[in-house]
Amino acid sequence: MRRILAQRRWTPLGKKWLENCRAYSVPASSKVVRDERFATLDDQDIKHFSGIVGSKGLVVDKDELEVANTDWMRKFKGSAQLLLRPQSSNQVAEILKYSSSRRIAVVPQGGNTGLVGGSVPVFDEVIVNLGAMNSIISFDEVSGILICEAGCILETLDKFLADKGFMFPLDLGAKGSCQIGGNVSTNAGGLRLIRYGSLHGNILGLEVVLSDGTILDMLSSLRKDNTGYDLKQLFIGAEGTLGVVTKVAVLTPQKLPSVNVGFLACTDYTSCQKMLLEARKHLGEVLSAFEFIDSFALDMVLKHSGHRHPLPDAKEKFYLLIETTGSNQSHDKEKLDNFVETVLTQGLVVDGTIAQDNTQISNFWHIREGIAEALGKAGAVYKYDLSIPIKDLYNLVEILRERLGGLATVVAYGHLGDGNLHLNISAPDYDEKLIAKIEPFVYEWTAAHKGSVSAEHGLGFMKAHAIHYSRSPETVELMRKMKAMLDPNGILNPYKVIA
């Protein structure tokens, strides 16, 4: 055994990575046609919107629209002719009220870092970007409750909280660009869900604007409020199809001083599962992340990033990144050291290192978080974000490798602690024959093993047709009825979530 210890940092995926993605545009496919109920934007509409947001809040520049119309993966591209940047909830309400009266379809947009085409138009929907609504409204240092506007960038919020001894309970690779409104609207999961839970538990209140312009004030900062239906939950993960999130109240935890990180090698997936059980048993309350990386993913990131292998002598099939967070460094480090010694003795791991300083911790996390960027540099990539019972999770990877043969490289990593598999198929170019071998097989296999076709990325446009693999017909029908009630003209993010 070697070393292990403490914290992480991330650099946002930038333009260089996007340029390296050999992206293709997926406008209206043969299965999706523009809804004829929606009006086409005219000069009078633009004049009216300008009266709401002013000239600075109205964007018709082709270059800016090109960026806003194109999703993070450069896979989906709309043709919006107008982008609006409201500066208040009242402006959002006026925009939606008018749009509903004219039946002008709109797409709420945050940092546009989604991976399923949920934050860009499918056709010519008007983009309503919340980025200008980025004020921190209040923070209670006793309760740890933060209230802010939807356009606040996640990393900005985390830095604000860090200065006060707190942290945001959500951590994502795209934290430097993504906005909290988008995080809430997609119910983003992230790296530390195993410790801090999902946004369904951390969000205490929301302000949401409905399609008719009604401002729904549910911005409670109470941890206990059992008066009637908990309506805010409808909008967490609804991807802007039921309403536009404009303000958020979130419970934030204390930022603890002791962070330790280990990078361990396992020979097989069974050992990875046993490691998770042992980690919960021995690390208990300090366990804050449990990530797995297969050898294909590690090879990919080492090849395209310049990072060094943390275990240069290891040639194993699986690697685990385990993080602990607590209040007592000597106690927590001793716990992790003892845990690593135990699992080495049991033969569950064959090699391992514990970070000795923040630089090593950062390097370990950069490897884990650099996989997506490395995949983009390698060529075309098909991404699948799946929840699968942990015992079955890696079976899909092995079956798909056999199914695809030499057509592509199957790369797997993810949040093993909560059963979230990031399945990636890397190929030189996008190819219809290849996708036909991947879909619907991946969705069918996941459904057969009682998994979910979307663990944390949402359905967006890419997976709207696949909702039936994870939800019963009765459940989907109830979703349709809720959509029809809250958005009778269907103007909010059409063609998404429910096909």
Side-chain angles (χ1 to χ4, degrees):
M1 187 201 112
R2 305 191 188 97
R3 307 157 282 192
I4 276 189
L5 188 175
Q7 186 201 330
R8 71 183 218 63
R9 191 97 244 109
W10 176 84
T11 303
L13 301 180
K15 292 182 180 178
K16 186 175 181 181
W17 174 66
L18 291 177
E19 290 166 357
N20 282 320
C21 288
R22 300 180 191 175
Y24 66 111
S25 172
V26 182
S29 70
S30 59
K31 297 180 182 179
V32 181
V33 295
R34 188 182 186 279
D35 192 327
E36 294 181 353
R37 295 177 301 166
F38 298 143
T40 300
L41 202 67
D42 60 29
D43 291 341
Q44 187 60 39
D45 296 323
I46 295 175
K47 182 179 179 180
H48 187 91
F49 286 130
S50 180
I52 297 173
V53 299
S55 59
K56 291 184 179 179
L58 187 143
V59 177
V60 293
D61 178 78
K62 289 184 179 180
D63 291 337
E64 288 191 62
L65 287 171
E66 176 77 12
V67 174
N69 269 306
T70 307
D71 84 310
W72 186 247
M73 291 295 297
R74 297 176 65 100
K75 185 176 180 182
F76 300 99
K77 184 177 180 181
S79 54
Q81 301 301 302
L82 179 66
L83 181 147
L84 302 174
R85 291 196 179 109
Q87 296 183 355
S88 69
S89 300
N90 287 333
Q91 288 186 3
V92 175
E94 288 299 314
I95 290 169
L96 295 189
K97 182 179 180 180
Y98 179 80
S99 297
S100 187
S101 70
R102 280 273 293 124
R103 287 198 169 180
I104 296 172
V106 301
V107 175
Q109 187 179 84
N112 197 18
T113 59
L115 300 176
V116 290
S119 59
V120 294
V122 176
F123 296 98
D124 58 350
E125 302 89 87
V126 172
I127 300 170
V128 180
N129 187 288
L130 281 294
M133 295 175 60
N134 57 5
S135 297
I136 294 173
I137 298 168
S138 66
F139 179 68
D140 187 326
E141 295 192 30
V142 176
S143 65
I145 296 171
L146 172 76
I147 300 178
C148 65
E149 290 185 309
C152 290
I153 292 173
L154 180 58
E155 188 170 50
T156 301
L157 292 177
D158 197 45
K159 288 179 178 178
F160 169 84
L161 291 166
D163 289 340
K164 299 182 180 299
F166 287 78
M167 61 176 285
F168 208 89
L170 173 68
D171 193 5
L172 302 173
K175 68 189 296 179
S177 304
C178 65
Q179 297 172 12
I180 185 58
N183 299 149
V184 171
S185 296
T186 57
N187 188 29
L191 300 164
R192 294 181 176 84
L193 188 140
I194 190 175
R195 174 68 171 271
Y196 301 110
S198 76
L199 290 178
H200 276 294
N202 292 309
I203 298 298
L204 300 179
L206 295 175
E207 179 186 84
V208 178
V209 181
L210 301 182
S211 66
D212 64 358
T214 299
I215 298 177
L216 199 58
D217 184 359
M218 304 173 290
L219 202 63
S220 170
S221 60
L222 301 174
R223 295 191 66 179
K224 289 186 175 181
D225 185 358
N226 204 22
T227 49
Y229 305 128
D230 190 6
L231 293 179
K232 72 175 181 294
Q233 299 294 348
L234 289 177
F235 301 93
I236 300 173
E239 301 185 53
T241 61
L242 300 180
V244 178
V245 174
T246 49
K247 292 175 184 170
V248 178
V250 58
L251 180 66
T252 68
Q254 289 276 164
K255 185 176 180 64
L256 301 175
S258 167
V259 181
N260 295 276
V261 175
F263 199 93
L264 309 173
C266 297
T267 57
D268 54 54
Y269 183 67
T270 299
S271 296
C272 293
Q273 295 177 71
K274 292 179 179 178
M275 280 288 291
L276 177 58
L277 180 63
E278 291 298 312
R280 285 176 168 152
K281 185 189 303 181
H282 292 281
L283 301 177
E285 77 286 354
V286 297
L287 182 63
S288 53
F290 194 100
E291 301 288 300
F292 94 99
I293 305 168
D294 75 4
S295 59
F296 291 86
L298 184 61
D299 290 345
M300 184 75 71
V301 73
L302 294 179
K303 178 180 179 181
H304 293 284
S305 69
H307 290 300
R308 294 182 179 181
H309 198 312
L311 305 169
D313 297 329
K315 305 295 181 186
E316 307 307 321
K317 293 183 178 180
F318 297 92
Y319 298 86
L320 301 175
L321 189 155
I322 300 174
E323 180 190 78
T324 67
T325 306
S327 58
N328 188 313
Q329 175 64 18
S330 60
H331 168 269
D332 298 344
K333 185 157 190 317
E334 182 180 1
K335 252 192 164 183
L336 185 56
D337 285 340
N338 291 339
F339 165 72
V340 174
E341 293 289 355
T342 298
V343 294
L344 279 167
T345 301
Q346 293 175 344
L348 296 180
V349 299
V350 296
D351 200 356
T353 178
I354 296 178
Q356 296 301 296
D357 52 40
N358 285 349
T359 299
Q360 286 190 335
I361 288 171
S362 180
N363 289 340
F364 290 174
W365 274 111
H366 280 155
I367 289 172
R368 162 60 182 84
E369 294 183 323
I371 299 171
E373 183 174 359
L375 283 161
K377 291 178 178 178
V381 58
Y382 301 88
K383 293 178 146 317
Y384 297 89
D385 162 54
L386 310 168
S387 270
I388 300 174
I390 293 174
K391 64 182 178 63
D392 301 318
L393 184 145
Y394 203 75
N395 290 341
L396 173 59
V397 180
E398 294 176 327
I399 291 170
L400 195 60
R401 256 181 211 135
E402 183 176 351
R403 179 180 176 87
L404 299 182
L407 293 176
T409 301
V410 180
V411 173
Y413 63 99
H415 318 300
L416 191 62
D418 51 60
N420 184 181
L421 170 67
H422 291 314
L423 177 67
N424 295 264
I425 294 91
S426 176
D429 294 291
Y430 290 105
D431 180 70
E432 291 298 325
K433 292 181 180 179
L434 178 58
I435 192 66
K437 280 185 165 289
I438 301 170
E439 296 182 19
F441 173 79
V442 165
Y443 297 139
E444 291 172 346
W445 191 96
T446 300
H449 291 80
K450 301 192 182 303
S452 169
V453 298
S454 177
E456 60 182 2
H457 293 168
L459 293 169
F461 178 60
M462 174 183 166
K463 294 184 179 181
H465 69 285
I467 190 171
H468 292 281
Y469 290 106
S470 296
R471 300 295 187 204
S472 69
E474 295 80 10
T475 301
V476 174
E477 181 57 29
L478 182 57
M479 290 181 186
R480 291 187 191 280
K481 290 178 180 178
M482 291 166 55
K483 167 74 171 174
M485 180 184 70
L486 293 171
D487 181 20
N489 290 331
I491 66 164
L492 291 175
N493 218 6
Y495 322 107
K496 317 286 178 59
V497 182
I498 303 174

